[in-house]
Amino acid sequence: MVVAVAVFAATVLHAAILCSAGMTSSFVRSPQKSVDMPLDSDVFKAPPGYNAPQQVHITQGDHVGEAVIVSWVTVEEPGSSIVQYWAENTSHKHKAEGKFNKYKFYNYTSGYIHHCTIRKLQHDTKYYYEVGVGSSARTFWFTTPPKVGPDAPYTFGVIGDLGQTYDSNITLTHYEKNPNKGQTVLYVGDLSYADNYPFHDNVRWDTWARFVERSVAYQPWIWTAGNHEIDFVPEIGETKPFKPYTNRYRVPYKASNSTAPFWYSVKRASAYIIVLSSYSAYGKYTPQYQWLEDELPKVNRSETPWLIVLMHSPWYNSNTYHYMEGETMRVMYEPWFVKYKVDVVFAGHVHAYERSERVSNIAYNIINGLCSPVSDQSAPVYITIGDGGNIEGLANNLTEPQPKYSAYREASFGHATFSIKNRTHSYYSWHRNQDGYAVEADSLWFFNRFWHQIDDSTTAA
Ligand SMILES: [Fe+2]
């Protein structure tokens, strides 16, 4: 009898899981405040040596993955803007010369910020590169992506809203130790949170860049601008939005015919990545609108099957934090995302994790009242991953009841990986900071919307 009851209970439980609607995780993270690491933390330490390059970071430098932008800062003097680089197992060193810039922000003056693009790199090749001179020179390495093609496997990490707290450090360590081995980070905005300090203390832009160097000097991070990059402070005379961000972080926007560094695209392996700006004009006739309208028809899914969009402010968000902030951009662009069958949209901003089912809400026309999200297999999955662990803490106030479109949500810190296997399948997993490095707190197989458009829902309709 006891056995029969247990079997019955297990059957009911199993059925409940299979037929479940969206899930609000029962995992409750202890609500301690996120605290920034102090300035003398080891992760912020400047490298030894006179004028040694610090804050080294790389990103893709062209549209197809054959160039890399190398950036770094020198403090004592400009020094050299030259990058020396060489492929593994070769002795010939190539040289490229970049430029440096410097900026002031209220009472802060930056170091010498160098940017140098190295081009004509071979695909699938490990390169070493060296910046700085003499005994202060520093050597790093990266691996170029495979040639753009429909079945090139590639694994992206996804991180957002990282900041520089103890939790941020745990997130970055989890990403580094994740056995899925991300090869490039898709970064969905809000980098340093320097603007939480008096006068937006830009020293915290420097410390952030020293903190993340251990990853971003070795693999590219694809940048998206968030609200904490705006740094608009007219009361202290700082009226040029994005000043620290654009001085420090360069992206290859001209290679995709964009006219501003806040929206652009890159191809990488089998993925076409479109980066949008929640904080630049996106209404009809604006530069971003015109660019996206021209851009989406250019995506050739026979070349790059996976169409990924990055933005900061999420369109589908059932957290009370930043509720509806993405709505106006959704109204403008969602019909295009469905028409062009975007596979997945990654956003940040909300300091929690949420994954949607494939839904759209594009039928409404002011008079017909059709304004509810509906299941739509041509629509992307929307993932909010603003859970890097910054000083503002968790967004732990979820709206109730959980909307039907919301497949999984949880107020925890973490990161994700999106691992493309071929043109039809990609494996996605979200990793919570409290777990072991290999634990997947949420995971699913993505089926490509162009090549394999079958239902990949994980909850009952
Ligand atoms: Fe944000």
Side-chain angles (χ1 to χ4, degrees):
M1 184 61 188
V2 172
V3 172
V5 169
V7 168
F8 175 74
T11 307
V12 169
L13 184 65
H14 186 62
I17 290 168
L18 284 179
C19 301
S20 67
M23 177 183 165
T24 298
S25 171
S26 58
F27 182 92
V28 179
R29 187 181 183 278
S30 65
Q32 79 269 22
K33 202 175 175 307
S34 297
V35 181
D36 268 357
M37 294 179 282
L39 290 174
D40 60 357
S41 302
D42 56 350
V43 297
F44 296 150
K45 225 172 164 194
Y50 175 76
N51 210 37
Q54 57 170 267
Q55 307 178 40
V56 179
H57 52 94
I58 61 172
T59 194
Q60 185 161 324
D62 66 355
H63 203 229
V64 296
E66 293 170 357
V68 167
I69 303 171
V70 182
S71 304
W72 69 98
V73 172
T74 53
V75 174
E76 282 90 358
E77 58 174 285
S80 167
S81 293
I82 290 174
V83 176
Q84 291 203 74
Y85 59 100
W86 60 97
E88 189 179 33
N89 302 323
T90 62
S91 53
H92 179 65
K93 289 190 175 177
H94 304 269
K95 266 187 192 178
E97 183 157 16
K99 288 184 175 155
F100 70 88
N101 54 289
K102 204 174 165 125
Y103 75 95
K104 284 185 193 303
F105 194 94
Y106 188 55
N107 59 1
Y108 167 93
T109 303
S110 76
Y112 304 94
I113 305 169
H114 303 258
H115 301 286
C116 178
T117 304
I118 56 181
R119 299 183 185 278
K120 295 185 183 165
L121 302 170
Q122 301 296 313
H123 286 283
D124 256 334
T125 304
K126 183 173 181 181
Y127 281 88
Y128 291 88
Y129 68 99
E130 183 181 294
V131 288
V133 292
S135 60
S136 299
R138 299 179 70 203
T139 304
F140 304 87
W141 57 88
F142 59 80
T143 301
T144 50
K147 191 170 166 47
V148 169
D151 292 302
Y154 206 73
T155 299
F156 293 97
V158 194
I159 300 177
D161 304 65
L162 185 58
Q164 46 193 304
T165 70
Y166 295 98
D167 292 306
S168 322
N169 199 18
I170 295 169
T171 301
L172 188 57
T173 302
H174 268 68
Y175 173 60
E176 293 170 301
K177 305 233 166 157
N178 187 331
N180 293 352
K181 295 207 180 307
Q183 296 164 283
T184 289
V185 168
L186 305 176
Y187 193 85
V188 292
D190 282 359
L191 283 63
S192 73
Y193 289 76
D195 58 353
N196 274 310
Y197 286 83
F199 313 118
H200 293 213
D201 185 359
N202 274 220
V203 166
R204 282 288 175 175
W205 274 103
D206 292 313
T207 54
W208 191 80
R210 292 201 289 270
F211 156 50
V212 297
E213 183 192 86
R214 70 185 200 232
S215 172
V216 70
Y218 298 93
Q219 61 171 250
W221 288 27
I222 306 297
W223 301 110
T224 310
N227 54 303
H228 288 278
E229 278 66 72
I230 301 173
D231 281 311
F232 176 70
V233 209
E235 55 274 27
I236 56 170
E238 293 299 344
T239 56
K240 189 172 179 255
F242 301 107
K243 192 205 256 185
Y245 174 66
T246 51
N247 272 282
R248 291 165 183 274
Y249 294 91
R250 293 288 159 85
V251 297
Y253 67 96
K254 289 179 185 163
S256 55
N257 296 317
S258 168
T259 50
F262 313 112
W263 58 90
Y264 64 100
S265 69
V266 294
K267 298 180 203 175
R268 201 161 180 88
S270 46
Y272 200 104
I273 299 154
I274 291 179
V275 177
L276 295 180
S277 174
S278 305
Y279 306 101
S280 304
Y282 45 75
K284 199 162 184 180
Y285 316 116
T286 62
Q288 183 168 209
Y289 181 101
Q290 283 190 34
W291 178 82
L292 186 60
E293 187 177 32
D294 291 344
E295 178 71 5
L296 284 165
K298 291 179 190 165
V299 182
N300 175 1
R301 304 294 274 274
S302 295
E303 185 193 42
T304 50
W306 294 93
L307 179 50
I308 299 170
V309 177
L310 312 182
M311 62 179 67
H312 187 62
S313 188
W315 294 356
Y316 285 92
N317 162 37
S318 72
N319 205 301
T320 59
Y321 289 88
H322 304 304
Y323 187 62
M324 296 279 280
E325 283 183 26
E327 187 65 3
T328 48
M329 189 194 242
R330 183 190 69 76
V331 169
M332 293 310 301
Y333 294 157
E334 190 180 17
W336 291 346
F337 281 25
V338 175
K339 179 179 175 187
Y340 291 101
K341 298 183 194 293
V342 172
D343 288 293
V344 58
V345 176
F346 293 110
H349 202 36
V350 180
H351 303 157
Y353 172 70
E354 184 164 18
R355 171 174 59 81
S356 81
E357 294 296 1
R358 297 191 182 277
V359 287
S360 69
N361 188 4
I362 55 177
Y364 186 51
N365 67 358
I366 297 290
I367 53 171
N368 63 11
L370 301 174
C371 52
S372 297
V374 293
S375 178
D376 187 339
Q377 288 300 315
S378 291
V381 169
Y382 293 91
I383 291 174
T384 303
I385 188 145
D387 56 353
N390 65 72
I391 193 171
E392 294 175 350
L394 281 170
N396 54 2
N397 196 353
L398 306 169
T399 60
E400 296 293 348
Q402 181 170 11
K404 251 171 72 179
Y405 68 75
S406 174
Y408 187 103
R409 57 184 191 169
E410 178 178 328
S412 282
F413 295 135
H415 77 278
T417 57
F418 189 80
S419 190
I420 297 169
K421 306 300 181 190
N422 52 41
R423 74 184 68 194
T424 56
H425 285 66
S426 181
Y427 187 72
Y428 167 81
S429 56
W430 175 66
H431 300 257
R432 186 193 288 132
N433 278 7
Q434 276 76 12
D435 295 337
Y437 298 126
V439 176
E440 298 171 349
D442 180 37
S443 63
L444 73 149
W445 282 98
F446 272 71
F447 300 149
N448 185 271
R449 289 303 93 185
F450 184 86
W451 289 100
H452 195 57
Q453 194 184 342
I454 63 169
D455 192 342
D456 52 7
S457 306
T458 58
T459 56

